[in-house]
Amino acid sequence: MGGITVLEVEDYLYDMLPPRDEVLTEMEADAAKNDHAIVGPAVARVLYQLAVISGAKKVFEMGSAIGYSTVWWARAVGDGGKVIYTDGDPKNADKARRYFDRAGVSQRIVVRVGDALEILSEEKENYDIVFNDVDKIDYPRVPRLAVPRMKSGGLFITDNVLWSGKVSKPNPDAQTKAILEFNRLIYESKDLFTTVLPIRDGVAVCVKK
Ligand SMILES: C[S@@+](CC[C@H](N)C(=O)[O-])C[C@H]1O[C@@H](n2cnc3c(N)ncnc32)[C@H](O)[C@@H]1O
């Protein structure tokens, strides 16, 4: 990814990661070959840890692609846990379903195809974690939808909030402007306590008060 940490430090961090199992390794290769933007193993481990530390049992994921981060969530929530997968592309969902079967986590995942913002806005349940990884242009609309669907003490987690460092450069494009606006909203929100972890492309972690 680059642009945030020193490249050699980034290499060092990734070299230290323990190998993944066969399914996750294949998903990582699939993502690299077919241009699916996935969180990758370093961020996935943070997501897994946050879910385990917080004892999360219900996760709503916005923007799931081939289901790489979904598998990590599903493993973190354990037996009896539930993860909502959402993606606008039915081909991604078909591929994801096959990976979920092979990873042995299908029973914990509900696959929803469509606009993740719409699906979330129709939700009645509250979640322990809402994970936001949709198109960046939509980011400023997400907090208003996510916060009411989270339990108090729940986590609202968002990927790509440093956008390869473009957030700190002059003349931001439309996507960067959307991320800048999103970051302002989550830090200013009276409902959230926010930090940004400068790992890979930047991960925002917000706790709902
Ligand atoms: C960055 S990828 C998700 C990667 C996934 N979270 C992972 O790390 O394995 C973003 C995905 O979100 C989907 N997407 C983007 N905007 C969306 C929206 N508003 N509703 C549903 N899916 C969306 C895209 O089709 C794409 O597959």
Side-chain angles (χ1 to χ4, degrees), residues 37-39 63-65 68-69 87-88 92 114-117 133-135 138:
I38 61 169
V39 292
S64 303
Y68 180 79
S69 48
D87 205 275
N92 282 346
D115 181 352
L117 285 81
D133 200 9
V134 291
D135 287 342
D138 288 328

Side-chain angles (χ1 to χ4, degrees), residues 146-164:
V147 171
R149 292 279 64 86
M150 287 162 52
K151 294 176 183 167
S152 179
L155 300 175
F156 174 47
I157 303 172
T158 300
D159 194 29
N160 307 110
V161 298
L162 297 178
W163 208 224
S164 304

